[in-house]
Each structure stands twice: as C-alpha cells, then as structure tokens.
C-alpha cells in the first residue's frame, strides 16, 4: 500500500472521528487507525470484512462484557441501523445466540462496510 494512500485514509478516518466522536463510525475509525500502526488501513478493512469480528481482530469486541458495553453505549444507533437494515432487506435480524453480542458485531461490521466503501477499499 502506498504511504500517500494510507495518509489519505488516515485523514478521512480522523475526520470521521472528529465529526462523530461518540458514534459507531468513530469506534471503527479509531480501531482502523490503531491497526494502521501494525499493518495498514486497507488491510484492516479487508480482513474485517472478510473474517468479521468473530475472528477476534477487533480487540474491543472479543468478550461478552465488551460487546455488551458496546451495545449499551451505542443502543440508539444500533437500533436505528437494525430498523433500517430490516426495512431495506425485508428480513428481520434473528439470532439464537447472545443478542447484544450479535448486534454489536453486526453493526460494527455494517458500519465498517460503509466506511470501506467511502474510502474506496471495498
């Protein structure tokens, strides 16, 4: 990955953080910037969107206590995303496992997908 491209991604992610500091978008952008220290932003989104949060690559969302905290913190935005997704697809989101964990991962990945599209990396 070209260093100039990473700088462009970094600038866009910093704008997301500054514009929406307490949002899921900000959480994704912050994780991508931390990931950039070890790899690069492009690979962060590629890996996340290919393997998902279940892979453990998002250290903030590994344990139930973390995903439950994330869900509680972002409840209103998660519910907005859920309703929008269900309306767009015509399919309700069901899970037989831990609901808060599932929704935390789902919305994190959904928002990451939207950011990756904006950045042009997916």
């Amino acid at each position: 990955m070209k260093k100039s491209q990473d700088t462009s991604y970094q600038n866009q992610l910093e704008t997301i953080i500054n514009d929406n500091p307490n949002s899921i978008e900000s959480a994704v952008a912050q994780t991508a910037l931390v990931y950039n220290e070890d790899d690069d932003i492009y690979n962060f989104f590629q890996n996340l969107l290919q393997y998902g949060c279940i892979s453990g690559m998002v250290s903030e969302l590994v344990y139930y206590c973390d995903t439950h905290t994330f869900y509680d913190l972002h409840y209103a935005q998660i519910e907005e995303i859920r309703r929008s997704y269900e309306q767009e697809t015509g399919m309700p989101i069901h899970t037989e496992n831990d609901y808060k964990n599932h929704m935390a991962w789902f919305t994190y990945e959904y928002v990451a997908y939207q950011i990756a599209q904006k950045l042009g990396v997916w």
Side-chain angles (χ1 to χ4, degrees), residues 7-51:
T7 302
S8 172
Y9 295 154
Q10 184 173 351
N11 292 339
Q12 291 176 68
L13 293 172
E14 288 171 354
T15 298
I16 290 170
I17 294 167
N18 292 330
D19 289 349
N20 307 297
N22 298 314
S23 66
I24 297 172
E25 290 84 357
S26 178
V28 172
Q30 289 173 28
T31 303
L33 289 175
V34 169
Y35 194 86
N36 189 41
E37 295 172 7
D38 296 325
D39 201 349
D40 63 44
I41 293 168
Y42 176 87
N43 284 334
F44 168 78
F45 285 102
Q46 293 295 310
N47 291 336
L48 178 60
L49 296 174
Q50 185 171 4
Y51 303 111

Side-chain angles (χ1 to χ4, degrees), residues 32-75:
L33 289 175
V34 169
Y35 194 86
N36 189 41
E37 295 172 7
D38 296 325
D39 201 349
D40 63 44
I41 293 168
Y42 176 87
N43 284 334
F44 168 78
F45 285 102
Q46 293 295 310
N47 291 336
L48 178 60
L49 296 174
Q50 185 171 4
Y51 303 111
C53 291
I54 198 169
S55 70
M57 70 173 283
V58 180
S59 61
E60 303 86 18
L61 297 176
V62 172
Y63 300 105
Y64 283 133
C65 63
D66 299 327
T67 58
H68 288 199
T69 299
F70 183 88
Y71 177 89
D72 293 341
L73 181 64
H74 298 289
Y75 173 78

Side-chain angles (χ1 to χ4, degrees), residues 70-116:
F70 183 88
Y71 177 89
D72 293 341
L73 181 64
H74 298 289
Y75 173 78
Q77 189 178 5
I78 288 171
E79 282 301 301
E80 182 181 319
I81 290 169
R82 181 193 57 78
R83 283 190 296 274
S84 175
Y85 178 84
E86 288 178 346
Q87 188 174 25
E88 286 175 19
T89 64
M91 296 172 26
I93 296 175
H94 293 292
T95 182
E96 294 182 18
N97 298 316
D98 187 278
Y99 183 77
K100 286 184 175 185
N101 184 73
H102 178 81
M103 291 307 296
W105 284 354
F106 170 78
T107 54
Y108 192 94
E109 293 167 7
Y110 184 82
V111 168
Y113 173 75
Q114 292 174 327
I115 292 173

